[in-house]
Amino acid sequence: MAEPLLFLEELPDEVTATIETRERALAALGSASGGLEFVVQRLQRWLPGSTVRVAFLGGDAELHADIAQLAGTIGEHGNLVLDFGFDANTGNYRTWSEDDDEYGAEIRVSFDQGGFFSLVGTDSIAEDIGPPSGKVGGRPGQRSLNLGGFHIQRPASWKGTVLHEFLHALSFHHEHANFRGPCQLAFRWEDDSDYVPTTDSRGVFVPDPAGRRPGIYTYLAGAPNFWSRAKVDHNLKEVRGPGIEASEFDRASVMLYRFPTLFYRTANSDCAPSGDGQSLSDGDQSGLRSLYPSETDASEDIAEGKRSLLGELTSRDAASGAELESMGTSRAGRSRALAPSVDCLKRQLAGRY
Ligand SMILES: [Zn+2]
C-alpha cells in the first residue's frame, strides 16, 4: 500500500509575501535602532501577563470545547491566559466573523481552509499581514489559525496539531528550524547521486528502479505539496537573526515534525522526534515559562522597550522627509516601500499587547 500523502503545513503564498515584507522592515529598523533590537526581538510575543482572546469560525460546541480545554492548558505553563469566551448560560464559546471590523479575538480559528497553519504570535493582529481582501491575515475579519477539516473529521493526531498551532500563535517557531539543533545537517536535502526522477501514480517522487532515493527538494517539488526550492528553504532551513531566540533543541517538542524517513541522512536521526508529539514536552513547558515569565519586571521591561521604540519611530518620522531627500533613489524607494509596515508596527506598539 502506498504511504499516506504528506501534506506539509503552509501559509498561503500571498500571506508569506507580506510576512517577508514585514521582516525586511523589522530588519531595517533593527540595524538602525541599535540597542532597541531587544524590543524588535520580542515583538512577536504577547506581553507577559496578557489575556489573549480566541474565537471560532464554524465548528460545533463540542469541537470548540475540546480545543478550548486542550489549548487552555498551555496557559498553565506561562504567564498568559488564553480566553475562549465560554458563556455558561448558552454553553457556547466566542465566535468571530469575516465581517468584523474590530477584533472579536486576537487568535481567530477556522476550519474551512486546506491544511493546518497559524500566524506567529502578534502577527495575528498585525494589519499588514496577508493581503487586505484575503481570507488569512492579521486583520479582524481574517483567519489567523486554521485546523482544516476538523469540523468534519478530526485526524487521529488532532491533539498534537492543536498544541502545535497554538504554540505558533504564542510565537513559537518550528523545532527543526532551531539553529541550536541538528536538523540542518541531519536532513537529506539532495537526491542520491544518479537518481532518476520517478513518480508514483499520484505524482509523489519515489525511489527509482535502482533504489536511489529523491532528496527533500525533489520530494517536496512533487505531489501533493509542489514546493519550489525557495519555499523549501523558507519552511525547513534554520531560522536565525536578531529576531530569534532559541533554547536547547528538544526532540520531544510538539514543534518538531515527524518527516518521512527519506528526509533524514541516517536511521534514528537526532532530528527525528522522540515522542508521539501529542502533549507538551518538558521543553515546551519551560519555553512557555521563559517566553511568558511571571516576574512583573519582565513585562515592565518589555512595555518600556515598546514605548521607547514607538518614541524613536515617531521622532524619526518627523525627520524622514529630509532623510528621504538626501538618500539615493534606491534606498529612498526601499524606505517608502517599507513605510506601511512601519506605520502598522507603530499602531501595534501603541496597542495593549
Ligand atoms: Zn508548524
Side-chain angles (χ1 to χ4, degrees), residues 60-68 70 111 116 147-159 161-162:
D60 60 20
E62 184 191 342
L63 175 59
H64 298 172
D66 286 350
I67 293 172
L70 178 63
F111 308 105
F116 314 132
L147 300 165
F150 269 42
H151 59 317
I152 299 166
Q153 189 179 10
R154 285 181 239 175
S157 58
W158 72 273
K159 290 185 176 175
T161 302
V162 167

Side-chain angles (χ1 to χ4, degrees), residues 9-10 116-118 120 161 164-165 168 172-176 235 254-257:
E9 185 187 38
E10 63 173 316
F116 314 132
F117 56 77
S118 173
V120 173
T161 302
H164 181 109
E165 300 309 335
H168 278 314
F172 277 59
H173 290 269
H174 283 137
E175 196 62 11
H176 60 250
N235 283 279
V254 298
M255 300 314 283
L256 186 64
Y257 280 142

Side-chain angles (χ1 to χ4, degrees), residues 24 48 70 85 95-96 104 113 182 217 285 303-304 334:
R24 283 193 293 278
L70 178 63
T95 58
W96 68 277
Q113 303 298 293
Y217 286 119
Q285 295 174 20
E304 172 54 31
R334 179 180 149 90

